[in-house]
């Protein structure tokens, strides 16, 4: 007689916390509904305090773990959306390292299922995330730690490219300030479009 296949660990974990996830959806559809949003740090304690009769510590902890490791949740973090409180109000920025880790995790999940090389998309996401962080190369690396080699190669390229872009913008801004010209005249003198100059001077 064949031995029945054991359910995948992830499916078993989801099934065990599904009642808690359904309760969270019932209470906070703006956070746990069709659209997932990054959650405020400390929301676990707030949920326990607000609903002592609805949630037990361990089951709620497990449910939030499943929720925050889900692809849809990671997508919201990778997109750089703000963290939200129980009322659904944006309260804090997601830390650059959390955005980075979410981008990398999503890439690894998708690449494992895809025959397509997804590294160009990853590179574009990393570039946008680093530029948005406003951090220096040194500070960014200090916060994200040491990634896998394939990620490190792309990251080195991205950090160098953004640093070069920042240097060019700084030089352009300095030249503009020294010129005493209007943006239009300055752009015309350099043979650049006014919109490009305005974007670089921001």
């Amino acid at each position: 007689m064949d031995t029945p296949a054991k359910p995948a660990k992830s499916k078993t974990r989801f099934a065990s916390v599904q009642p808690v996830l359904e309760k969270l959806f019932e209470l906070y559809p703006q956070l746990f509904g069709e659209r997932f949003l990054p959650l405020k740090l400390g929301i676990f304690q707030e949920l326990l305090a607000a609903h002592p009769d609805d949630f037990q510590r361990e089951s709620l902890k497990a449910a939030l773990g499943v929720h925050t490791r889900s692809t849809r949740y990671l997508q919201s973090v990778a997109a750089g959306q703000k963290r939200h409180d129980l009322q659904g109000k944006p309260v804090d920025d997601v830390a650059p390292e959390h955005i980075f880790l979410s981008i990398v995790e999503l890439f690894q999940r998708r690449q494992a299922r895809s025959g397509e090389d997804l590294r160009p998309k990853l590179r574009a996401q990393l570039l946008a995330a680093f530029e948005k962080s406003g951090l220096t190369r040194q500070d960014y690396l200090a916060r994200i730690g040491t990634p896998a080699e394939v990620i490190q190669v792309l990251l080195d390229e991205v950090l160098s490219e953004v640093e070069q872009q920042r240097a060019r913008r700084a030089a352009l801004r300095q030249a503009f300030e020294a010129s005493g010209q209007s943006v239009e005249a300055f752009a015309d003198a350099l043979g650049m479009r006014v919109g490009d100059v305005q974007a670089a001077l921001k």
Side-chain angles (χ1 to χ4, degrees):
M1 182 177 178
D2 293 336
T3 302
K6 293 182 179 180
K9 185 181 292 186
S10 60
K11 291 183 179 180
T12 303
R13 187 185 301 117
F14 178 80
S16 68
V17 301
Q18 189 170 0
V20 182
L21 292 172
E22 289 175 352
K23 188 64 178 179
L24 288 169
F25 168 68
E26 176 188 328
L27 293 169
Y28 302 101
Q30 72 275 25
L31 296 177
F32 299 92
E34 290 186 12
R35 181 187 176 209
F36 288 1
L37 293 171
L39 300 174
K40 171 188 174 183
L41 298 179
I43 210 164
F44 169 69
Q45 289 82 1
E46 292 185 8
L47 283 166
L48 283 177
H51 306 281
D53 297 329
D54 291 314
F55 301 122
Q56 295 182 346
R57 174 176 289 272
E58 291 307 315
S59 60
L60 178 61
K61 183 178 180 180
L64 287 177
V66 169
H67 177 76
T68 56
R69 285 192 295 270
S70 70
T71 295
R72 286 169 60 197
Y73 184 84
L74 291 175
Q75 286 171 337
S76 72
V77 175
Q81 297 187 55
K82 283 183 173 291
R83 294 190 179 278
H84 290 67
D85 62 17
L86 289 180
Q87 287 68 49
K89 296 179 181 178
V91 289
D92 298 305
D93 290 331
V94 174
E97 59 268 31
H98 295 161
I99 294 174
F100 172 82
L101 291 172
S102 295
I103 290 173
V104 171
E105 176 63 24
L106 289 169
F107 162 75
Q108 291 172 334
R109 292 183 186 184
R110 290 165 178 160
Q111 191 64 79
R113 302 192 306 267
S114 174
E116 178 187 357
D117 183 1
L118 300 178
R119 284 176 297 178
K121 294 180 181 178
L122 172 63
R123 188 183 189 282
Q125 287 181 299
L126 292 176
L127 191 151
F130 173 52
E131 190 160 23
K132 185 178 179 181
S133 75
L135 296 172
T136 64
R137 182 191 190 114
Q138 183 177 359
D139 289 343
Y140 193 75
L141 290 174
R143 295 182 71 156
I144 67 171
T146 304
E149 184 176 355
V150 64
I151 307 298
Q152 185 67 60
V153 171
L154 285 176
L155 186 61
D156 286 342
E157 294 177 4
V158 163
L159 297 182
S160 296
E161 181 176 335
V162 173
E163 284 186 324
Q164 291 170 9
Q165 291 174 353
R166 289 176 177 175
R168 286 195 294 269
R169 286 198 297 267
L172 187 68
R173 192 177 301 112
Q174 186 176 10
F176 170 69
E177 292 172 352
S179 72
Q181 296 176 309
S182 66
V183 173
E184 291 76 11
F186 183 71
D188 184 63
L190 294 180
M192 296 177 64
R193 293 185 301 180
V194 173
D196 291 340
V197 172
Q198 289 174 328
L201 294 177
K202 287 183 179 179

